Amino acid sequence: MRAGPRMVDVLRIGIAGICCELALRNGDASFRAQLLSRYEGFLTEEEPDLRIEAEAVRGLNREARPSTNGERTVSIFEEGGRYRMVRTDNPFRAEVDTEAGEGRLIAERSVYCFDSFLRILYSVLLARAEGGLFHGLGLNQAGSGRLLLGKSGSGKTTLGRLAGARDGTVLSDELVAVRSLEGSLTIYATPFWGEFAAGKNSADVPLTDVYLLRQDPRNFLRPVKSSSAVREILSCTLFFGPPSLTGSVLGLCFRLAASVSALHFRPTDEVFALIRKGESCVAEVSA
Amino acid sequence: MSQKYPLRASDVAYRLVDGEAILVSAGQGTIYTLNSVGAMVWNLADGTASVNQIAEEIGRNFPVEPEPARADALEFLESLQGKGILELFDQPQGPKPVEGIGR
């Protein structure tokens, strides 16, 4: 992290091959240290795709508007490649011009609020690049990428702990990035992890299998009807808009559904052998 | 009885799969699934076909009488309008670019 003559601290973060530079205009040493620690492993010296002037302010939380269950707290408006993003519960306001490669952010002085902005920003940037962010566990098993999709309570964090303790490399245990490059899908680590803090390094691997998690007393794989798979994958997608990018995200979900199986599992080591075997067979049941 | 011409909202992406239609409204944060009949109605709702014409197409593809088909189609379209993902016009509308197809 560099400090220039105008006391602007610059932080470059690279996720899924997309680099964003945050220039903190009024950050303090303590907050800078928090951000450095938070995104360690994803800091980069690459030339940024987007430069954002960021202000960390106090008091936005006092303006935060409470919302009822189900009420939308994130809004994204678009006009010709320029995006305006507003979040009311973990408050921030941002304007990003992807054509010019610049933007501006005002967020509560909180790593949590900055992190929320980055998640939403990357959900947009990835959608523009035929990609997306998904709630799930990303694994690298000897060069084969496994994407295990599930929302909170699905067991992905438990599986991530098991995988990290064995030979599997955990890319992320909360949000995994997926991109289509030259017709092939790749999964990427992100700094948006859950409880399992390992896998904090930027890494990627070609995607070979997609699983929908089902907690079960037994370990087995089962095929999933395409329409059901797409719906479930969509429900695991982090995407708030804008409408112009919905088609791209929907298309990616359809591509993932073409490689999906339901993984019925109990959290033991045997489940990883089943994933590695990579067969979708109803009769394949292990106690 | 005056004709109505349904037009899908341009900010709803959709795809057809397994005879169903999956609709995504990012603005609402909502996913809709339409059965095979609903998917046909949705696919025909490009602003140029009237409710009568859509009902006739349903009758050609499904075992349903014309009048119930028309009544069901109109009720279904009005429900989609109530959800904000479709509009019913009194006159034919020119087709507009729609998210989803081919992406």
Side-chain angles (χ1 to χ4, degrees):
Chain A
M1 204 165 176
R2 297 180 282 113
R6 291 182 295 158
M7 295 303 292
V8 174
D9 293 314
V10 175
L11 179 70
R12 287 186 184 175
I13 299 169
I15 302 172
I18 301 173
C19 174
C20 285
E21 178 182 279
L22 293 176
L24 295 173
R25 304 210 68 83
N26 58 346
D28 54 58
S30 169
F31 191 59
R32 290 197 308 270
Q34 290 177 50
L35 290 176
L36 273 176
S37 173
R38 180 70 181 86
Y39 300 109
E40 179 186 7
F42 292 86
L43 298 178
T44 179
E45 293 295 323
E46 295 286 325
E47 193 63 25
D49 300 289
L50 194 60
R51 286 186 166 85
I52 297 174
E53 290 192 358
E55 284 188 55
V57 302
R58 298 178 189 273
L60 279 184
N61 263 331
R62 286 194 286 274
E63 301 172 12
R65 190 171 63 87
S67 63
T68 57
N69 185 32
E71 186 177 342
R72 298 273 281 181
T73 58
V74 177
S75 301
I76 301 178
F77 307 96
E78 185 212 0
E79 185 178 342
R82 293 189 298 275
Y83 301 90
R84 187 159 51 91
M85 306 172 193
V86 178
R87 180 157 192 164
T88 57
D89 51 349
N90 294 307
F92 68 79
R93 298 189 295 269
E95 292 182 5
V96 173
D97 186 336
T98 54
E99 300 299 318
E102 57 190 27
R104 183 172 167 78
L105 165 71
I106 300 174
E108 179 70 25
R109 184 192 173 282
S110 154
V111 172
Y112 196 65
C113 288
F114 270 67
D115 195 74
S116 176
F117 163 70
L118 286 172
R119 293 181 186 215
I120 292 168
L121 174 67
Y122 271 89
S123 74
V124 172
L125 297 178
L126 283 164
R128 287 174 54 87
E130 295 188 66
L133 276 177
F134 296 86
H135 289 282
L137 172 68
L139 297 178
N140 179 354
Q141 284 188 320
S144 293
R146 321 288 190 192
L147 179 60
L148 286 68
L149 294 172
K151 300 178 82 172
S152 178
S154 61
K156 58 182 184 295
T157 303
T158 304
L159 282 176
R161 287 198 199 100
L162 275 175
R166 299 179 75 253
D167 55 0
T169 301
V170 177
L171 296 176
S172 295
D173 72 332
E174 174 60 27
L175 281 174
V176 181
V178 179
R179 283 190 72 178
S180 175
L181 293 171
E182 298 178 350
S184 297
L185 293 177
T186 301
I187 57 173
Y188 297 80
T190 77
F192 312 124
W193 32 267
E195 301 173 12
F196 188 53
K200 291 173 67 175
N201 297 311
S202 174
D204 59 83
V205 63
L207 177 63
T208 53
D209 298 286
V210 183
Y211 300 96
L212 299 173
L213 296 175
R214 310 267 192 272
Q215 297 198 41
D216 196 289
R218 303 169 302 166
N219 296 316
F220 63 97
L221 296 172
R222 188 182 291 276
V224 184
K225 185 181 172 188
S226 295
S227 56
S228 301
V230 172
R231 280 198 300 272
E232 193 164 341
I233 293 169
L234 277 167
S235 72
C236 293
T237 306
L238 186 79
F239 184 69
F240 299 95
S244 64
L245 295 176
T246 307
S248 173
V249 173
L250 183 58
L252 178 58
C253 290
F254 267 78
R255 286 187 67 182
L256 293 174
S259 309
V260 77
S261 301
L263 173 63
H264 293 251
F265 75 97
R266 60 186 181 128
T268 65
D269 288 348
E270 284 79 16
V271 68
F272 298 105
L274 183 62
I275 294 171
R276 192 176 293 111
K277 197 171 180 181
E279 289 178 7
S280 176
C281 174
V282 173
E284 189 81 11
V285 175
S286 60
Chain B
M1 183 178 298
S2 63
Q3 278 297 306
K4 293 292 185 184
Y5 296 83
L7 177 63
R8 298 178 294 260
S10 60
D11 61 350
V12 175
Y14 76 96
R15 286 226 177 168
L16 305 177
V17 60
D18 296 339
E20 300 176 343
I22 296 178
L23 284 52
V24 181
S25 170
Q28 297 178 4
T30 308
I31 302 168
Y32 301 96
T33 304
L34 309 182
N35 66 7
S36 54
V37 182
M40 174 173 285
V41 173
W42 177 263
N43 204 37
L44 292 170
D46 63 357
T48 64
S50 68
V51 174
N52 275 1
Q53 289 171 317
I54 292 173
E56 286 171 8
E57 190 64 21
I58 292 173
R60 278 192 279 272
N61 289 274
F62 298 93
V64 60
E65 294 298 317
E67 188 47 41
R70 188 196 171 283
D72 288 346
L74 182 60
E75 181 181 350
F76 176 69
L77 290 164
E78 287 174 340
S79 75
L80 297 183
Q81 180 173 246
K83 297 180 193 311
I85 60 175
L86 176 142
E87 276 193 83
L88 288 164
F89 294 90
D90 294 328
Q91 299 294 330
Q93 306 292 306
K96 296 178 183 177
V98 177
E99 295 286 350
I101 294 294
R103 288 176 185 266

